[in-house]
Amino acid sequence: MSATRYTYLGPEGTFTEAALRTLPEAATRELVPMVSVPAALDAVRGGEAAAALVPIENSVEGGVTTTVDELAKGTPLMIYREVVLPIAFALLVRPGTKLKDIKTVTGHPVAQPQVRNWLGEHLPDALWESAASNADGARLVQEGRFDAAFAGAFAAATYGLEALVTEIHDAANAETRFVLVGRPGRPAAPTGADKTSVVIWLGDDHPGALLELLQEFAVRGVNLMRIESRPTGQGIGNYCFSVDAEGHITDRRVGEALMGLKRICPKVRFLGSYPRAGVAVADLRPLRPGTSDEEFLAASDWLTQCQDGRF
C-alpha cells in the first residue's frame, strides 16, 4: 500500500480537491485525482492509496448517493475524518465569452439544483448537460464542447478559463461534507465532539421495523444527525439505512446502541467514529440525564451488586 498517496474525485480543480487541501497532511501526500467516487475508493481497497476523500452530503441536495452506496457494499472501508466546505459556484467560460453567447452549460448533477434559479433568471434558454464533476465540466468547456461550466472559481486557472460570474448559489451558506476514507482500523481517538456512521439492514419488513431501529438510539439518548434509506438491489421494497449519530463508539450510550442493533438486525456495517468538522465540545448541548458514561457505569455496578446479593 502507498502510505503517502491520497485519491480524490477528480480531475484537478474539483471542490473535493479544495477540501482535501484543507487537511494538514495533504501537504506531504501525493494527491491523485480519479475519474469517479468508486474509482477513488477502489484504489484504497486495492492498496494503491492510503485514503480517499469523497463527497458524501450536500446541505441542499442531501446525501451523495454514489458515495453512500459504495460505503454500504463491497469490501468494508472506514471513515476517519470529515471536512465541511462552503460551496459557491463560478460560471467559467473561455476568454472573451459573453453571457449572451452562452447556449450550453455543464456541471456535476449535484450542482444543478444549487444554481437552478440563477440559470432560470440569467440563462433561461441555455441547455444543461451533466458532467462527471464540476472540474470535468470546466475541461469540457476548455475543449469547446460546452460554452460554460459551473465550478469553483479556483478551477479557472487550471483550465485556461475565465470566471464570468462568481458567488453563484441559490441557497445561502450552502455546504458540502466530504469524508476521508481508509481501510478498516482503530477508529480515530474520541474528542468529545464526534460522529459515528453505520449502515443498517432490516431483518424483515413488518410494522414498526424502522421504529425498532430508532428506539435503539432513542432509549440511550443518542441523537441522529442523518438517516437515509437506500435500496439494497434485492428488489422493490428492500432497503438499508445509512445513519450518522452523535457520539463515539467508545461512549457507552453509542456502544450499547450498536450492540442493540447487532442483536436485532441481520447486518450492521460500522463505518467509523471520527471528529465532527468545525464543532467543539463547548458547542454541544448537554447530554440527557441518565446517558453519560458515568451513569451507564453506575447502572452496571448496581446490576453486579444485585447479582452478588449486595443490594
Side-chain angles (χ1 to χ4, degrees):
M1 176 186 295
S2 175
T4 61
R5 182 178 298 152
Y6 281 4
T7 57
Y8 66 91
L9 175 62
E12 294 181 15
T14 59
F15 285 109
T16 309
E17 182 188 11
L20 179 55
R21 291 189 181 278
T22 68
L23 300 180
E25 63 266 36
T28 60
R29 301 295 193 271
E30 178 190 2
L31 309 183
V32 181
M34 305 298 283
V35 297
S36 65
V37 167
L41 297 178
D42 283 344
V44 178
R45 289 186 171 110
E48 301 164 32
L53 193 84
V54 291
I56 195 169
E57 183 182 7
N58 178 266
S59 62
V60 176
E61 278 295 281
V64 178
T65 56
T66 301
T67 301
V68 172
D69 292 345
E70 279 295 313
L71 292 177
K73 66 183 184 182
T75 304
L77 294 170
M78 207 161 93
I79 299 170
Y80 287 92
R81 63 166 53 185
E82 66 177 8
V83 177
V84 176
L85 189 73
I87 301 296
F89 294 93
L91 188 68
L92 304 188
V93 299
R94 292 182 295 279
T97 301
K98 307 298 183 184
L99 201 62
K100 62 182 177 59
D101 302 325
I102 297 174
K103 307 301 180 186
T104 58
V105 294
T106 187
H108 191 275
V110 173
Q112 186 180 20
Q114 300 181 64
V115 299
R116 185 181 292 122
N117 292 340
W118 190 94
L119 267 174
E121 181 179 352
H122 299 279
L123 293 170
D125 299 321
L127 177 66
W128 170 282
E129 186 172 327
S130 293
S133 68
N134 296 311
D136 191 54
R139 178 185 63 81
L140 296 173
V141 171
Q142 180 191 45
E143 294 176 356
R145 295 171 61 182
F146 293 92
D147 297 324
F150 286 97
F154 47 79
T158 301
Y159 296 98
L161 304 177
E162 293 180 348
L164 185 61
V165 185
T166 60
E167 295 298 317
I168 300 171
H169 45 71
D170 289 350
N173 304 315
E175 297 176 318
T176 294
R177 182 166 72 98
F178 303 82
V179 288
L180 186 69
V181 179
R183 297 176 77 175
R186 282 190 172 274
T191 66
D194 303 292
K195 180 182 294 184
T196 292
S197 297
V198 293
V199 184
I200 309 163
W201 281 258
L202 289 175
D204 61 88
D205 186 16
H206 62 270
L210 177 57
L211 177 60
E212 291 172 4
L213 304 185
L214 298 178
Q215 284 177 329
E216 295 295 332
F217 294 104
V219 298
R220 296 172 177 89
V222 178
N223 185 45
L224 297 188
M225 307 177 69
R226 181 183 67 88
I227 179 168
E228 182 174 352
S229 63
R230 294 298 302 153
T232 63
Q234 298 176 351
I236 297 294
N238 288 291
Y239 290 89
C240 60
F241 295 89
S242 177
V243 174
D244 293 335
E246 286 185 344
H248 195 277
I249 192 172
T250 58
D251 296 334
R252 291 296 183 105
R253 64 189 184 280
V254 177
E256 289 204 8
L258 297 185
M259 286 192 292
L261 292 169
K262 185 63 178 174
R263 287 197 309 269
I264 65 174
C265 298
K267 184 179 178 182
V268 178
R269 174 170 285 194
F270 174 64
L271 294 181
S273 291
Y274 47 93
R276 292 174 59 184
V279 177
V281 175
D283 300 327
L284 302 179
R285 68 174 71 84
L287 294 176
R288 287 176 51 198
T291 64
S292 69
D293 278 5
E294 293 75 16
E295 288 162 313
F296 271 96
L297 286 170
S300 179
D301 289 342
W302 172 82
L303 181 61
T304 299
Q305 291 170 15
C306 291
Q307 291 170 339
D308 292 341
R310 294 184 287 114
F311 55 91

